Amino acid sequence: MEIGISVFNGMDISSIVENLKKNGVNRTFIKSDAPDFDNVMKLLHENNIICESLHAPYNRINNMWSEDDEAANEILNRLIDSVDKCAKYNIPATVVHVSSGRPMPEINEKGIKRYEYLFNYANERGVIVALENLRYLENLDFLMNKYNTPAFCWDNGHEYCYTKGVKYLDLYANRLCVLHIHDNRCGVDTDDHLLPFEGSIDFDEVAKDLAKSGYKGTLMLEIGKNISVDGKKVYETLSDEDYISRAAESAKRLAHMVESYR
């Protein structure tokens, strides 16, 4: 099972690339609105690091369900931009949120039509839209049941801190195409993005769930070096090299566990 690592904060892209290579990791993903995006893609390509997906913008994502067309179109255009960048760089998938924060945005006809437009636009360009699990099942489940085209991005950390008791892989394993793997304290809204095995998530259960799902893609970490827990930066004493090395070892350990349960 291949492993990948995406670091969203605490390291610059040059250090990430250098240290991924040192640890034999050649897969990652980045945000579609990352600064200096084209040069980042060039750097990844020059170093033979595969960008497997883009994470579409999620700030103000609830506006996709808004009655305010101007506010909605602003975020829809940002999602479209992520699709366009995938198509330009032959990146298979873009990961998209369908809600953010609390309360849950109301499912309505305008929001449905906007996501439908996004799905059709991506499909015409050969790009997969992978919907990610967040705080609420309802919006995600509605779109996954109504449309055949979206795939699923499983964020195991979100499942454990936002929707305990919901087993997303039991619902969408047959459409799983992207993983966002990380650890957290399993408290309400404790979306820590710690390295695997350094929080409270039961990774034996995660490994069994992934093995059962039949997923054969990359085990991708979604982590951040600049993580704070209770006001303390967890990894501040680690060098970039040590942090990526620790991340790679945790990913390899989990991948081995998944394979052992197949």
Side-chain angles (χ1 to χ4, degrees), residues 1-3 27 52 169 173-179 209-220 255 258-259 261-262:
M1 189 176 199
E2 297 282 356
I3 66 165
R27 295 163 191 270
E52 291 198 337
L169 293 187
N174 63 326
R175 295 164 75 173
L176 179 63
C177 79
V178 180
L179 294 180
D209 288 344
L210 281 172
K212 179 182 175 183
S213 76
Y215 175 75
K216 297 295 178 63
T218 298
L219 196 155
M220 181 70 71
V258 174
E259 294 295 348
Y261 283 122
R262 289 200 193 278

Side-chain angles (χ1 to χ4, degrees), residues 244-255:
I244 293 293
S245 176
R246 197 150 133 183
E249 286 305 310
S250 71
K252 291 171 185 176
R253 177 182 170 187
L254 181 56

Side-chain angles (χ1 to χ4, degrees), residues 70-258:
E70 183 177 355
N73 287 336
E74 186 269 338
I75 184 63
L76 177 57
N77 288 335
R78 295 172 72 199
L79 302 183
I80 291 297
D81 177 68
S82 186
V83 171
D84 287 341
K85 285 173 176 172
C86 283
K88 177 180 179 180
Y89 286 100
N90 295 313
I91 299 169
T94 180
V95 173
V96 172
H97 290 187
V98 296
S99 68
S100 179
R102 304 179 192 279
M104 183 187 83
E106 179 184 351
I107 298 171
N108 56 50
E109 194 62 28
K110 282 194 170 186
I112 294 167
K113 291 301 182 185
R114 290 169 189 140
Y115 277 104
E116 182 177 302
Y117 178 86
L118 175 67
F119 300 152
N120 290 337
Y121 184 90
N123 189 52
E124 289 170 0
R125 285 151 185 79
V127 175
I128 298 167
V129 175
L131 302 182
E132 182 177 354
N133 57 298
L134 271 296
R135 286 175 175 83
Y136 297 101
L137 171 63
E138 287 85 346
N139 304 67
L140 173 64
D141 197 54
F142 179 88
L143 293 172
M144 293 292 282
N145 286 323
K146 184 174 178 61
Y147 299 102
N148 294 323
T149 51
F152 179 54
C153 168
W154 185 48
D155 188 305
N156 78 299
H158 291 172
E159 179 174 312
Y160 277 78
C161 75
Y162 290 150
T163 53
K164 287 180 182 178
V166 178
K167 299 288 287 185
Y168 284 94
L169 293 187
D170 287 347
L171 298 173
Y172 311 126
N174 63 326
R175 295 164 75 173
L176 179 63
C177 79
V178 180
L179 294 180
H180 287 178
I181 300 295
H182 48 100
D183 208 341
N184 62 51
R185 291 165 286 167
C186 294
V188 177
D189 287 358
T190 55
D191 186 23
D192 300 317
H193 288 261
L194 300 168
L195 299 182
F197 308 102
E198 299 190 9
S200 300
I201 290 177
D202 182 351
F203 275 95
D204 192 61
E205 181 179 28
V206 170
K208 289 177 180 177
D209 288 344
L210 281 172
K212 179 182 175 183
S213 76
Y215 175 75
K216 297 295 178 63
T218 298
L219 196 155
M220 181 70 71
L221 303 192
E222 183 189 29
I223 54 176
K225 185 168 181 277
N226 195 29
I227 295 296
S228 292
V229 172
D230 297 329
K232 180 181 179 181
K233 290 187 176 180
V234 180
Y235 302 113
E236 66 179 347
T237 62
L238 293 181
S239 66
D240 289 356
E241 183 175 5
D242 288 343
Y243 177 74
I244 293 293
S245 176
R246 197 150 133 183
E249 286 305 310
S250 71
K252 291 171 185 176
R253 177 182 170 187
L254 181 56
H256 178 76
M257 291 169 63
V258 174

